[in-house]
Every structure is written in structure tokens, then in C-alpha cells.
Amino acid sequence: MTVSTSGPLPGASTATQPGGMRARDRRGALWLHLALLPLALLFLAPLYLMLIFSSHPETAIFSPNPPLWFGGAFGENFAQLQADTNFLRTLANSTVISTLYTVLSMGLTSMAGYAFAKFQFPGRNLLFGLILATLTIPTFVTIIPQFILVARDLGLSNTYWAVILPTLANTIGIFYMRQAFGAVPDDLLNAARIDGASEGRIFWQIALPIVRPALAALAILLFLASWNDYLWPLIVLTQKDSYTMPVALGTLVGLTRVSWGGIMVGTAIATIPFLILFLALQRLFVAGIAGGAVKD
Amino acid sequence: MTTAPAPASARPRRRRVPAAPYLFILPYLLIFAVFWAWPILSSFLLSFRDSRLGEGAPLGTANWSRLLGDEFFRTALRNTLVILAVQVPLMLALATALAVALNSRLLRLRGLFRFAFFAPLVVGTVAYSAVFRLLFNSDFGMVNRTLTGLGLPAVDWLNQPLPAMSVIILALLWRWTGYNAIILLAGLQGIPEDVYEAAALDGASPWQQFWRITLPLLRPTLLFCLVLSIIGTLQLFTEPALITNSGPGNATMTLGTYLYQQGFRSFNFGYASAIAYTVAAIAAVFSAIQLRLFGRDT
């Protein structure tokens, strides 16, 4: 299940191959690095500038000599952002919504993924095909009826549930968990059945612990997706105090008067925890993203 | 995709645990039915109604005929297809090259390069839209400062149609290339090493190996990326909404921003549903074509 992300060790080919690195390889390596290095810098530049700008007042960001290193205005920018958007409140909203969503979605998708991976039952292929087919249906098709259902019929506007409920039907999660449970040996489950364990207990105490690494990767991806979601919260949240953090930042970006330093602080706060998490858990992250694409 | 279950092995198990799999799926299915399946149907019905007149007055096909003559819709459709036609092939080519490069045994500082290309994955669309809007600011942005610093002319990025479109495409490239590269990298690592060793022994150059081995074996993964990228691009919303505000004029208005405007600014749900179904129809056509052309082995 887990996709290995490390190829052969760097340097292995030079030291162990008889005769050392061939000339063609050396030339190839040189060109490879010459091409990749500037591209890598271009990919990192927006992130770097976001961090730098979050610590400078707007006048410095727009000055003839823009800063390339950290300044001391981080606190003032944050205070401005807090005044503009009640940022701490939106941060709390985002945290609660993303956590609830992640826990609930993991429960739903791992249960369903388990059933699809480990049981034969009438209607199985039809149901799975139906769920899989939604992958190719743009979410746009559902967004208006979802809004009518959630906001008007259920009266949930500006609540956490309005954001969470419609996004729980997560197709990729099912796909991914079905793949993960596929690797759990049937014999193990059958042995527990012979010992008289209930199906619920087998799932909870035997199957689920085995797929823990996959669950961890899924948790990160679900949390991140919810944390960064913009369009749906923008639609169902209309009161400032119920905004999630992306919605609050989005209201600022279109304006011209608001401090760019403040916006950069907000975007940095939204991003940095995940950059750190990404650095620490790169393997899980990559496995999780790649897992959605792994075929039978 | 999945092979049919062997009836012989299914029968005894079915006797032993008849209800369990259904109970495991039920919670998901309930959410799926209420918040996905029903809305898909409901959206179609809505497209034949006029939500502005009381409780969805029947309207017949007026929304659909309006769509045909709507010049804003045509602009949104054209812009979306232009972005699609330029951005998706560029991104997939770049992502494939990156995946091959990152998979190369010649590469040093592997971790650093991976971090550089995959880091945009964790940045939210709102966050990077804000950063791009600032960097491409015509008067004070870093991009123009760099251009003038190099002796090149400054570009009025966000206030001219073509440059504004380029900024949207650049932003999308920045955000999504690494994502596709990860998926392709996983696909590459599924190709057995000995295929390359055999080819190298037969004297195949790296270039020949790429065209004759890597690309054909990567085709299912590329198809997966292509389908998801096309559906994603058809629904493009945040970037044109926040970086260019659909402007200048309507030069970067997409199906996504137009649907948002009709549905949630004018509250014309019926007309917005017709737009949504058009997006779905285009996505379905693209998916069908792709499966026909490339999908024999998926």
C-alpha cells in the first residue's frame, strides 16, 4: 500500500559501480541539476516572499526597494488582521470544522472502504461503480441543490454543520481505504470470526489498527482539504463571526485599502503549520496523494 | 476495474454474514444519497424552473435557450476552454518531466527538490491567490520590479486580457504541477527496473527508453491525471475570483465565476443549474473521449 518515495540512494551508483560514474552519467547529472535548480527556486519563491512580506508594513512591501529578509512588523500586521477580520475567531472556526470533518469522514470512508474490500455481497460492484462514477461529476452540479437543502430546508446557514455535512461524501477516501484494507489478510479476519468475534469488533480491533499508516495519510489530506476549502464555506457562511479562515482572507484580498502585510500574515498562518507537517511527514503525504491514483 | 466475484466463494460467506457489509456502508450511503445523489437529480429538475418566481415556478426550457444566446456564458465558456487547452497539457508535460527527474538515480539533494516542488500542495487556493495578486501587482509587484531590474519592460499584468490570463495559468501551474508529479512518480515507481536494464543492454538511449518504455507504461496514470485536471479546470473559481476578479472586463471570467455570480449573487438557481449541467456535460464528453482514445488498459 505504502508507495516507496525514496529511489536508489544518491551516490550509490558512483561508489558501487565498477569504474565509477561514466562520463555520460556525469554530463546527464550536470544538466539535470542545471535545469532543476532554477525551477525549484521559482517554486519556492512565492512561499518565501509570503513569509518575508508578512513581517513588513505595506509601505515597505510597495517601496522601490522591496525587502528580501524578515522585518519586525509581524505583530502589527497580525493586530491589523485581527481588527479587520476577527482572525482568531475564524481560526477557531476552521480548526473545529476541519477536525470534526476529518474524524467523521474517516469513520464513514473507512467503514465503507472496509465493506467494499473485504465482503462479497449482492450489489457490491454496482454500488462501488456508482460511487466511483461521482469522481467524474463536477461538484458544481450539486452545489446549488446542496445550498437549497442546507441553507433553506435544513436552516443550517452559518453553522459548522452547514460546512461539514455536504462535504462528507468523499469518494477519494472510499477508494483509498478500500485499497488499504485490500492488503489486510482474509485469514486473520476469518480466524477472529471462528473465535466468535462480532463483525464490528473485527473491524475496530483487527482491521483498523493494521491500516493505521493509511488512516494517518488520509487524515492529513482530509484535514488539509477542509482547511483550505473556499467556495462552499463562502456560500453557506454569511456572518462574519461564522467565517472560516479562507473565507475571511478572501473578503480582504479583493479590497484595495486593507493591509497586504496583514493578508500575508493570514496566508502564512494558514500555510506554515502544514509546511512543517509536510516536511516532517513527507512520506505519508506523498503516499496519501499517490494512493488515490493507484489502480487495481 | 474490479473483477466479478467468483460465485462459488461468495455464496457460503453470504450465508454467514448477510447484514454486516450493508451496515458498514449504510452511514456513507445515507450521506451520499442526501447530499450527492439527490442534488444531482434535483439540479437537473431545477434547470427547468425559474427560482426567482416564488417556489420554483415551472419554466420549461427557457433557461436552456437563454444559455444559447447568452454572450457572457459564451465568454466564460471560451475562457475556460482556453485555460484548459493551455494549462493542462503544459502542466502534465512539466509534471511528467519533474517526476522522471525526481526519480532519476543521478539526482542529488533529492529531499530538497521534492520539498520545493511539492510544497505548493499544502498552500490553499486563497493563500496563493493573495500572494500572486500581490506579486503581479502592476505598479509595485515583485515580478515587474524584477523585469525592469533586468532592463525589460514592465507588464500591466492584471489590467490587460492576455497578461491576466497568463497570471491565472501560471498560478495554476505553480499550485498543481507538484500534485500531478507525485501521482506520476508513484506510477513511475510501479515500472519494474529490469525493463530498463534490458533496454539499456540492447543499447536503447535514455531518450528512447523514455518514449518506448516510460510513456506507454505511464499511460494509465497520465489518463487519471488528465481526467482529474480537466474536471478541476472546468470548475475553476478561486483563482479568477481572487487574482483577477474575472477581469479586466470579463477577460478571465470562467464557468465557475459565472455560475457563482448567477447562483449566489443573482440567486437565479434555475439558470445556474443549467450552467452547472453544461459543465457536467462537457466533463462527460471529455472523459468519454479520453477513455476511447487512451483507456484500453484502465
Side-chain angles (χ1 to χ4, degrees), chain A residues 102-160:
Chain A
T102 303
V103 171
L104 288 174
S105 187
M106 271 171 50
L108 290 173
T109 55
S110 57
M111 277 167 71
Y114 177 68
F116 282 122
K118 287 295 155 194
F119 291 97
Q120 304 287 349
F121 53 93
R124 179 187 150 215
N125 289 348
L126 179 76
L127 274 179
F128 191 69
L130 196 72
I131 291 171
L132 205 62
T134 60
L135 258 185
T136 58
I137 297 178
T139 50
F140 271 8
V141 176
T142 58
I143 209 162
I144 285 158
Q146 276 175 349
F147 173 75
I148 294 173
L149 183 68
V150 167
R152 195 186 63 188
D153 299 347
L154 299 176
L156 291 173
S157 284
N158 294 310
T159 65
Y160 291 158

Side-chain angles (χ1 to χ4, degrees), chain B residues 134-186:
Chain B
L134 181 54
L135 294 182
F136 283 91
N137 181 300
S138 299
D139 300 320
F140 310 104
M142 282 294 267
V143 175
N144 270 352
R145 285 191 190 289
T146 310
L147 285 180
T148 47
L150 294 171
L152 296 164
V155 179
D156 196 4
W157 290 104
L158 302 178
N159 300 314
Q160 287 186 326
L162 201 63
M165 198 68 128
S166 320
V167 174
I168 301 276
I169 289 171
L170 281 174
L172 289 170
L173 280 176
W174 185 79
R175 174 68 174 79
W176 292 107
T177 303
Y179 178 85
N180 287 281
I182 283 193
I183 298 175
L184 290 165
L185 190 58

Side-chain angles (χ1 to χ4, degrees), chain A residues 4-5 25 33 43 62-64 66 108 120 122 139-141 144-146 169 178 199 228 230-231 235 260 267 278 290 293, chain B residues 2 5 17 22 27 35-36 39 43 105 108 114 118 124 126-127 130 134 140 145 174 183 186 189 235 237 256 264 272 280:
Chain A
S4 163
T5 57
D25 278 0
H33 290 87
F43 268 74
F62 288 153
S63 74
L108 290 173
Q120 304 287 349
T139 50
F140 271 8
V141 176
I144 285 158
Q146 276 175 349
R178 175 176 158 276
E199 289 298 333
N228 283 332
Y230 177 60
L231 180 56
I235 289 168
W260 275 102
T267 55
F278 180 75
Chain B
T2 45
V17 283
Y22 296 106
F35 292 104
W36 256 94
S43 183
R105 66 187 168 81
R108 311 297 182 85
R114 283 211 171 120
F118 298 164
V126 173
L134 181 54
F140 310 104
R145 285 191 190 289
W174 185 79
I183 298 175
Q189 288 174 347
Q235 308 190 70
F237 171 75
F264 301 101

Side-chain angles (χ1 to χ4, degrees), chain A residues 3-8 10-11 13-14 17 21-22 24-25 28-29 32-33 36-37 39-40 42-44 46-47 49-50 53 61-64 66 68 108-109 111-112 114-116 118-122 125 127 130-132 134-150 152 154 165-166 168-171 174 178 190 193 199-200 203 224 228 230-231 234-235 246 249-250 253-254 260 263-264 267 271 274-275 278-279 282 285-286 289-290 292-293 295-296, chain B residues 1-5 9-10 13-14 16-17 20-25 27-29 31-32 34-36 38-40 42-43 46 55 94 98 101-111 113-127 129-135 137 140 142 145 173-175 177-179 182-183 185-186 189 204-206 220-221 224 227-228 231 234-238 241-242 255-256 259-260 263-264 267 269 272-273 276-277 279-280 283-284 287 298:
Chain A
V3 178
S4 163
T5 57
S6 59
S13 57
T14 50
Q17 254 175 23
M21 203 188 231
R22 283 175 303 155
R24 196 173 75 181
D25 278 0
L32 184 67
H33 290 87
L36 276 190
L37 212 57
L39 201 58
L42 269 181
F43 268 74
L44 284 176
L47 288 173
L49 291 170
M50 172 177 83
F53 289 164
I61 298 172
F62 288 153
S63 74
L68 291 172
L108 290 173
T109 55
M111 277 167 71
Y114 177 68
F116 282 122
K118 287 295 155 194
F119 291 97
Q120 304 287 349
F121 53 93
N125 289 348
L127 274 179
L130 196 72
I131 291 171
L132 205 62
T134 60
L135 258 185
T136 58
I137 297 178
T139 50
F140 271 8
V141 176
T142 58
I143 209 162
I144 285 158
Q146 276 175 349
F147 173 75
I148 294 173
L149 183 68
V150 167
R152 195 186 63 188
L154 299 176
L165 279 175
L168 280 177
N170 181 297
T171 312
I174 291 228
R178 175 176 158 276
N190 286 330
R193 282 189 188 110
E199 289 298 333
F203 168 71
L224 185 65
N228 283 332
Y230 177 60
L231 180 56
L234 174 71
I235 289 168
L249 284 175
V253 174
W260 275 102
I263 296 174
M264 289 302 118
T267 55
T271 308
F274 288 99
L275 274 179
F278 180 75
L279 262 178
Q282 222 184 67
F285 242 112
V286 171
I289 287 161
K295 305 275 165 151
D296 274 340
Chain B
M1 200 110 227
T2 45
T3 50
S9 69
R13 190 182 289 172
R14 201 188 303 160
R16 213 166 355 141
V17 283
Y22 296 106
L23 289 178
F24 278 118
I25 296 180
Y28 181 87
L29 224 48
I31 293 278
F32 181 79
V34 175
F35 292 104
W36 256 94
W38 164 244
I40 287 172
S42 165
S43 183
L46 262 175
E55 273 295 297
L94 187 57
L98 266 185
L102 291 171
N103 201 35
S104 165
R105 66 187 168 81
L106 300 177
L107 187 69
R108 311 297 182 85
L109 301 172
R110 195 174 295 262
F113 281 118
R114 283 211 171 120
F115 177 71
F117 295 119
F118 298 164
L121 283 179
V122 299
V123 182
T125 46
V126 173
S129 295
V131 175
F132 270 72
R133 192 183 170 111
L134 181 54
L135 294 182
N137 181 300
F140 310 104
M142 282 294 267
R145 285 191 190 289
L173 280 176
W174 185 79
R175 174 68 174 79
T177 303
Y179 178 85
I182 283 193
I183 298 175
L185 190 58
Q189 288 174 347
S205 69
T221 320
F224 180 85
V227 171
L228 288 194
I231 293 167
L234 284 174
Q235 308 190 70
L236 192 62
F237 171 75
T238 313
L242 290 182
L255 291 171
L259 182 140
Y260 179 80
F264 301 101
F267 291 100
F269 292 138
S273 293
Y277 252 87
V279 174
S287 297
T298 52

Side-chain angles (χ1 to χ4, degrees), chain A:
Chain A
M1 184 61 240
T2 44
V3 178
S4 163
T5 57
S6 59
L9 283 172
S13 57
T14 50
T16 53
Q17 254 175 23
M21 203 188 231
R22 283 175 303 155
R24 196 173 75 181
D25 278 0
R26 253 200 314 270
R27 258 203 323 277
L30 184 66
W31 282 115
L32 184 67
H33 290 87
L34 280 181
L36 276 190
L37 212 57
L39 201 58
L41 289 178
L42 269 181
F43 268 74
L44 284 176
L47 288 173
Y48 180 74
L49 291 170
M50 172 177 83
L51 293 181
I52 296 300
F53 289 164
S54 71
S55 64
H56 286 278
E58 196 176 70
T59 48
I61 298 172
F62 288 153
S63 74
N65 293 308
L68 291 172
W69 190 245
F70 293 97
F74 194 88
E76 293 145 55
N77 285 338
F78 185 85
Q80 183 65 50
L81 179 68
Q82 174 62 21
D84 287 339
T85 63
N86 196 359
F87 192 71
L88 290 174
R89 174 65 198 259
T90 67
L91 214 55
N93 290 340
S94 276
T95 309
V96 173
I97 286 174
S98 298
T99 308
L100 261 175
Y101 167 75
T102 303
V103 171
L104 288 174
S105 187
M106 271 171 50
L108 290 173
T109 55
S110 57
M111 277 167 71
Y114 177 68
F116 282 122
K118 287 295 155 194
F119 291 97
Q120 304 287 349
F121 53 93
R124 179 187 150 215
N125 289 348
L126 179 76
L127 274 179
F128 191 69
L130 196 72
I131 291 171
L132 205 62
T134 60
L135 258 185
T136 58
I137 297 178
T139 50
F140 271 8
V141 176
T142 58
I143 209 162
I144 285 158
Q146 276 175 349
F147 173 75
I148 294 173
L149 183 68
V150 167
R152 195 186 63 188
D153 299 347
L154 299 176
L156 291 173
S157 284
N158 294 310
T159 65
Y160 291 158
W161 291 112
V163 183
I164 295 169
L165 279 175
T167 44
L168 280 177
N170 181 297
T171 312
I172 296 268
I174 291 228
F175 198 51
Y176 183 62
M177 287 320 292
R178 175 176 158 276
Q179 206 82 30
F181 281 116
V184 176
D186 280 323
D187 292 346
L188 204 62
L189 307 176
N190 286 330
R193 282 189 188 110
I194 290 165
D195 288 345
S198 71
E199 289 298 333
R201 205 175 143 178
I202 294 171
F203 168 71
W204 188 252
Q205 294 192 335
I206 298 172
L208 217 47
I210 295 178
V211 297
R212 219 159 24 199
L215 275 177
L218 182 65
I220 297 171
L221 293 179
L222 290 175
F223 192 92
L224 185 65
S226 174
W227 183 258
N228 283 332
D229 193 13
Y230 177 60
L231 180 56
W232 179 249
L234 174 71
I235 289 168
V236 291
L237 304 177
T238 54
Q239 285 165 7
K240 228 180 160 185
D241 274 348
S242 72
Y243 281 173
T244 57
M245 193 245 338
V247 177
L249 284 175
T251 59
L252 293 185
V253 174
L255 308 175
T256 40
R257 301 185 286 107
V258 180
S259 90
W260 275 102
I263 296 174
M264 289 302 118
V265 166
T267 55
I269 290 175
T271 308
I272 290 173
F274 288 99
L275 274 179
I276 294 169
L277 199 69
F278 180 75
L279 262 178
L281 304 172
Q282 222 184 67
R283 285 177 88 81
L284 271 181
F285 242 112
V286 171
I289 287 161
V294 174
K295 305 275 165 151
D296 274 340

Side-chain angles (χ1 to χ4, degrees), chain B residues 229-247:
Chain B
S229 304
I230 288 180
I231 293 167
T233 310
L234 284 174
Q235 308 190 70
L236 192 62
F237 171 75
T238 313
E239 291 83 355
L242 290 182
I243 300 179
T244 54
N245 198 13
S246 288

